[in-house]
Amino acid sequence: MTNTLLTRHDPAEAQIFHADGTWGDETHYRLLDKNAAARPDAFALRDGARRLTWSELVHWVDVMSADLAAQGLRANDRVSLWASNRIESVVMYLACSRNGYACNPSLHRTYTVDEISGLLDRLSTKAILVEEGWGADVSRHDPFEALRSLPAMRKVYRVPAAREPGPEFPTTKDADVELPASDENPDKVCYLAFTSGTTGTPKCVMHSDNTLLANARDMVRDWKHDETSRLLSLSPLSHHIAWVGIAQWLLFGGEFVTDDPPAGISKLDWILETKPTYIMGVPTHAMDTLAEMRKRGLEKMGTVKVFYMAGAPIPPATAQSFVEMGVTPQNVYGMTENSSHHYTWPDDPQVTICESCGRGGKAYRLKVFDPENPDIEIPQGEVGHIAGKGACLMLGYFDNQKATEESFNKDGWFLSGDLGLIDADGCLRFVGRLKDIIIRGGKNIHPKKIEDLAIKHPNVEKAAAFPVPDERLGERVCLAVLSTGRDPEGQDVLGHLFDHGLSIYDMPEYYMVMTDFPLTPSGKILKRELTEWAKDGRLKPAPIRFAKPKEN
């Protein structure tokens, strides 16, 4: 089928990747079909209420494929997902892989209806899965009316919050369907994920089946996962970590479990009930699980053998706790643009697991460059700007040539925006971020958006949103303001932010009024200084919790 999306796919580079085995001929759907043929009655996919075999799953995917085609969608059209961790999201994604559509699953619950509408309008999304009650402000704004009115939209698939497809989503009861031709090109764009830059304006990453599966092939091989493996993703299906997990699952052919415990069931109970061997998440998930285990006097995490953690360094005490209970921590570094490309191996010593992100696999290689000049490589062991090349690298940013070009140095190395070094053992050590961004429990929060809204308050002259370290979540947001005269009350400012469209999930959790800010010679606020002052006690921000107004 003809590709109508402009990407950085290079036939010469593709030939190299196919020759070295990092790319192959599989698509996500072909792997699904292969597993269904080999193990039709084995369990494949589970959410909080349903558990499907491989044969049941491929049947549902085929029915979904036929329904999408009946809406008039053609190859390369965009399909989006805005829902919780439910089976229907995976079904729709795999149907897109079958038909050659680009699926966009990265729509978080924290988005407002207006934000979602803007993102989908940029993509010219033709179809979307939307769950009732899902979104930051859906109690005040009707998402279904807003999304149906988008110019390109052909179909809004509405599903209830309950774990049932409802009347608008196709089911396997629709057995007699005419299937469209399957798109078996593994180099097509199959996945679109919004990832936010330093300004908070989302860029949209494009991946093919091969760029996603390249990293997954490495991880499955190096960690020896097979059809007996059961993977539980504690990261939501709107986060890239979950789709790294989906790719691994399709390759090893075991079972994938979503983070969807029924009401009244804790994450730990869900782990014990579903019996995963492999868990994927962020360090916060690990620390919370360990804390609940200690509270309940449990010494074993059920059947878990491996716990993947990305997004922040693994605290040594957390790693030690896992080792003592027979669970191997997997320390991971990556981005939506290049997946989980660097990771520790099962036989790495504990110091490597705790202090580095390992040596990774053959689908990606790293160099470190001068932070002030990304065209100058610096010696091994020195801290610099992390950059990479390889088979798991994205195909560029959707409809954004400028952002794509600016992400590479002159020699074609993708610039991560992060600082790190390559140690004597060839392992990556993450040091920090060049980006002005706050990561709270794995979620990106953009200071500029908070600041831009804050200075619209009549009593706020200047504002700075900066990270305050937090043992459990990594970072929390502190908002510091300079007043125009009368000091604004914290709850009044937070209410102002909410009224002007800030998601409750991005709300500051510390607040303070200052008399002046540390500034650069050019007059920019030195937010790194504010963070350091909060760390050493020179600043004492007051904790604050947004009191959401009651709805009529």
Side-chain angles (χ1 to χ4, degrees), residues 263-538:
I265 302 295
S266 71
K267 286 188 191 297
L268 178 56
D269 287 328
W270 188 235
I271 291 169
L272 297 176
E273 178 181 328
T274 58
K275 297 180 172 59
T277 59
Y278 181 26
I279 292 180
M280 296 180 68
V282 298
T284 304
H285 294 136
M287 289 185 280
D288 288 352
T289 303
L290 289 171
E292 188 175 352
M293 289 179 66
R294 285 192 291 269
K295 184 177 179 181
R296 291 162 59 171
L298 298 178
E299 296 181 355
K300 294 283 290 182
M301 197 180 290
T303 56
V304 178
K305 297 178 181 177
V306 180
F307 204 120
Y308 162 120
M309 285 170 275
I314 301 177
T318 300
Q320 181 62 38
S321 296
F322 278 122
V323 170
E324 289 174 355
M325 66 176 68
V327 176
T328 304
Q330 186 183 34
N331 197 344
V332 178
Y333 172 82
M335 308 167 63
T336 305
E337 288 88 341
N338 43 34
S339 298
S340 302
H341 61 79
H342 263 65
Y343 49 86
T344 52
W345 286 41
D347 57 354
D348 280 334
Q350 188 173 335
V351 65
T352 299
I353 294 170
C354 293
E355 297 181 4
S356 83
C357 300
R359 58 193 188 275
K362 65 179 183 178
Y364 206 69
R365 53 198 177 100
L366 293 181
K367 286 187 177 182
V368 178
F369 293 86
D370 187 330
E372 301 299 324
N373 185 345
D375 293 331
I376 299 175
E377 186 178 355
I378 63 175
Q380 183 172 350
E382 292 187 15
V383 174
H385 193 163
I386 301 168
K389 284 183 177 182
C392 63
L393 183 59
M394 67 169 182
L395 296 178
Y397 296 112
F398 178 86
D399 196 28
N400 197 336
Q401 178 68 18
K402 185 173 186 290
T404 301
E405 288 183 345
E406 290 176 349
S407 296
F408 293 83
N409 73 3
K410 68 179 180 62
D411 295 318
W413 291 83
F414 174 75
L415 303 168
S416 67
D418 292 331
L419 296 170
L421 61 86
I422 307 297
D423 67 18
D425 297 319
C427 295
L428 172 67
R429 292 177 181 251
F430 173 78
V431 173
R433 297 186 303 274
L434 289 172
K435 302 176 181 179
D436 181 14
I437 197 171
I438 299 167
I439 300 181
R440 181 192 186 277
K443 181 188 183 302
N444 290 357
I445 297 175
H446 299 280
K448 188 174 186 298
K449 182 173 184 178
I450 299 172
E451 294 159 0
D452 288 349
L453 294 176
I455 60 175
K456 294 180 180 179
H457 188 285
N459 297 118
V460 174
E461 179 182 1
K462 292 182 180 179
F466 60 95
V468 172
D470 183 84
E471 182 176 353
R472 191 177 76 84
L473 293 172
E475 295 173 337
R476 294 181 188 265
V477 181
C478 177
L479 176 63
V481 302
L482 303 185
S483 71
T484 56
R486 184 172 65 87
D487 289 354
E489 293 291 331
Q491 285 295 340
D492 183 49
V493 173
L494 298 195
H496 165 86
L497 296 176
F498 179 72
D499 290 341
H500 284 73
L502 187 69
S503 168
I504 59 172
Y505 300 93
D506 292 346
M507 280 292 170
E509 295 175 272
Y510 289 91
Y511 176 78
M512 64 186 307
V513 179
M514 299 183 67
T515 56
D516 57 28
F517 286 141
L519 304 175
T520 67
S522 61
K524 294 181 180 179
I525 299 172
L526 280 168
K527 287 191 280 187
R528 289 183 182 176
E529 289 285 313
L530 295 175
T531 299
E532 289 302 315
W533 293 355
K535 282 182 180 179
D536 63 22
R538 280 182 284 175

Side-chain angles (χ1 to χ4, degrees), residues 3 8 15 18 36 61 64 74 91-92 102 115 126 132 155 189 277 287 301 317 361 370 380 393 419 443 445 447 477:
N3 175 43
R8 51 174 296 275
Q15 190 174 12
H18 278 286
V61 169
M64 186 75 241
R74 61 184 186 180
V91 168
M92 202 153 177
E115 287 171 332
K126 295 286 183 68
E132 293 174 353
K155 178 74 172 181
V189 175
T277 59
M287 289 185 280
M301 197 180 290
D370 187 330
Q380 183 172 350
L393 183 59
L419 296 170
K443 181 188 183 302
I445 297 175
V477 181

Side-chain angles (χ1 to χ4, degrees), residues 67-328:
D67 198 88
L68 284 167
Q71 310 306 320
L73 273 68
R74 61 184 186 180
N76 307 131
D77 279 344
R78 274 71 72 196
V79 176
S80 296
L81 311 176
W82 196 25
S84 60
N85 301 321
R86 56 191 301 149
I87 278 177
E88 287 86 351
S89 292
V90 180
V91 168
M92 202 153 177
Y93 177 83
L94 292 170
C96 289
S97 173
R98 186 195 183 285
N99 288 7
Y101 312 142
C103 189
N104 161 229
S106 63
L107 303 179
H108 305 298
R109 186 179 192 175
T110 56
Y111 284 144
T112 64
V113 172
D114 187 59
E115 287 171 332
I116 290 289
S117 298
L119 295 175
L120 300 195
D121 193 40
R122 281 176 53 190
L123 292 180
S124 298
T125 290
K126 295 286 183 68
I128 183 171
L129 169 67
V130 182
E131 180 175 324
E132 293 174 353
W134 197 253
D137 64 347
V138 294
S139 61
R140 297 189 292 161
H141 303 285
D142 182 358
F144 302 101
E145 180 182 356
L147 298 178
R148 288 190 186 106
S149 68
L150 293 175
M153 190 66 69
R154 299 279 184 89
K155 178 74 172 181
V156 175
Y157 291 94
R158 180 175 184 154
V159 294
R163 290 304 180 254
E164 56 187 41
E168 298 183 24
F169 193 87
T171 69
T172 51
K173 294 177 182 178
D174 307 310
D176 297 324
V177 294
E178 183 178 347
L179 289 175
S182 179
D183 188 331
E184 299 187 352
N185 175 15
D187 297 335
K188 67 181 182 298
V189 175
C190 71
Y191 176 90
L192 298 169
F194 285 105
T195 183
S196 303
T198 57
T199 64
T201 301
K203 295 177 288 189
C204 188
V205 172
M206 296 186 289
H207 273 291
S208 67
D209 293 276
N210 261 326
T211 59
L212 289 176
L213 291 170
N215 174 229
R217 290 186 184 102
D218 280 351
M219 298 183 81
V220 169
R221 179 192 63 248
D222 296 339
W223 280 81
K224 298 179 173 56
H225 298 300
D226 59 26
E227 67 275 2
T228 66
S229 300
R230 181 175 294 124
L231 193 165
L232 167 62
S233 174
L234 295 181
S235 289
L237 291 174
S238 60
H239 196 288
H240 189 64
I241 287 175
W243 297 98
V244 172
I246 290 286
Q248 291 188 78
W249 158 63
L250 290 168
L251 285 163
F252 65 66
E255 185 176 14
F256 186 91
V257 183
T258 69
D259 181 29
D260 190 41
I265 302 295
S266 71
K267 286 188 191 297
L268 178 56
D269 287 328
W270 188 235
I271 291 169
L272 297 176
E273 178 181 328
T274 58
K275 297 180 172 59
T277 59
Y278 181 26
I279 292 180
M280 296 180 68
V282 298
T284 304
H285 294 136
M287 289 185 280
D288 288 352
T289 303
L290 289 171
E292 188 175 352
M293 289 179 66
R294 285 192 291 269
K295 184 177 179 181
R296 291 162 59 171
L298 298 178
E299 296 181 355
K300 294 283 290 182
M301 197 180 290
T303 56
V304 178
K305 297 178 181 177
V306 180
F307 204 120
Y308 162 120
M309 285 170 275
I314 301 177
T318 300
Q320 181 62 38
S321 296
F322 278 122
V323 170
E324 289 174 355
M325 66 176 68
V327 176
T328 304

